[in-house]
Amino acid sequence: MTYPDVFILRHGETEWNLARRIQGQKDSSLTELGRTQAQMQRDLLQPILQKFPDIDMHCSPLGRAQATARIALGCSPRVRLDLRLQEIGAGSWEGLTRDEVAKGWPDEWALCLDDYDLFTRTPDGESVAQAFARAEAFLKELRGPAIVVTHGVFSCFLRGILQNQAVEQIADMPRRQGVIYHLQGGRERVIEKKSDFGDFLQNSA
């Protein structure tokens, strides 16, 4: 399937990120650094908003994503909240620190190499297949260039589909805050300064 240009933002750092507490579909507030990261994304988005003044804007309804969108996108009435963009559900591990998970579920914890595993190996959480399906359903509805504000692990599902990658490849993707992932023609570029757009701004229609 051919997709339009998609600009994916992960929310800024939160209090629970800082405390190494698993958020999933629970929530916590942005830190000062998190707000700064959203401001960085706002600056990076300016040329995109100028080139695509009517670009579609989509956001997870979770508070940390909305707070990021308010900074990065302003209070645009065009920002659409979509439940399908919330983070993958981590079941009973949500709200716990990594140390608490390690103590309570030692066998599962032994298999967790990074945050992706923390979410996808949760005994009673959302399955990989379920997360992949809602990411795919969302992307199939896009009709033009879009900005998407979402979450770390779930952004990997979106980016993997846009690059035609297998589920197994998604686990190794970086999930940076304060940058923009630009997906175009099955390829990804990380935008952390305006020059990273290369010739895209000049040559895209």
Side-chain angles (χ1 to χ4, degrees):
M1 183 172 177
T2 301
Y3 295 99
D5 286 87
V6 181
F7 303 91
I8 296 178
L9 287 65
R10 182 188 177 189
H11 63 78
E13 181 191 70
T14 68
E15 298 290 350
W16 280 14
N17 287 155
L18 198 58
R20 292 176 53 78
R21 193 174 294 277
I22 300 167
Q23 293 178 117
Q25 295 176 0
K26 291 187 177 180
D27 226 338
S28 66
S29 301
L30 297 184
T31 62
E32 183 176 351
L33 174 58
R35 291 188 289 273
T36 298
Q37 290 167 335
Q39 291 166 359
M40 293 165 59
Q41 292 168 325
R42 177 191 62 198
D43 293 342
L44 292 172
L45 283 171
Q46 292 315 301
I48 296 302
L49 295 174
Q50 291 171 11
K51 189 168 189 67
F52 302 112
D54 297 319
I55 193 169
D56 290 332
M57 303 176 183
H58 305 272
C59 183
S60 160
L62 296 178
R64 59 193 185 274
Q66 289 197 61
T68 299
R70 280 193 294 272
I71 297 170
L73 297 171
C75 296
S76 173
R78 292 191 291 117
V79 178
R80 302 171 188 170
L81 301 183
D82 194 316
L83 279 170
R84 294 173 296 184
L85 295 176
Q86 59 187 333
E87 183 62 286
I88 185 171
S92 56
W93 289 4
E94 292 184 356
L96 301 181
T97 65
R98 284 151 176 74
D99 289 343
E100 289 168 337
V101 171
K103 182 177 180 180
W105 293 265
D107 293 339
E108 290 85 350
W109 174 257
L111 300 174
C112 292
L113 301 178
D114 62 10
D115 284 355
Y116 179 88
D117 288 335
L118 274 175
F119 285 81
T120 57
R121 293 186 184 278
T122 308
D124 56 353
E126 184 177 12
S127 71
V128 168
Q130 289 171 324
F132 192 91
R134 63 181 168 95
E136 190 172 47
F138 169 79
L139 291 171
K140 283 182 176 179
E141 293 182 5
L142 296 181
R143 295 296 177 263
I147 296 168
V148 178
V149 184
T150 184
H151 304 268
V153 176
F154 190 71
S155 73
C156 295
F157 287 91
L158 295 171
R159 291 158 52 208
I161 293 169
L162 288 166
Q163 296 177 81
N164 197 31
Q165 293 185 348
V167 171
E168 294 75 19
Q169 296 173 279
I170 292 173
D172 296 326
M173 285 185 169
R175 300 174 286 275
R176 294 174 59 189
Q177 293 163 309
V179 302
I180 297 172
Y181 291 99
H182 174 207
L183 285 299
Q184 180 190 43
R187 300 182 67 181
E188 175 179 277
R189 71 177 92 191
V190 182
I191 308 299
E192 50 188 327
K193 54 185 182 298
K194 291 180 182 178
S195 61
D196 290 332
F197 281 112
D199 60 1
F200 168 75
L201 295 175
Q202 287 74 39
N203 297 340
S204 304

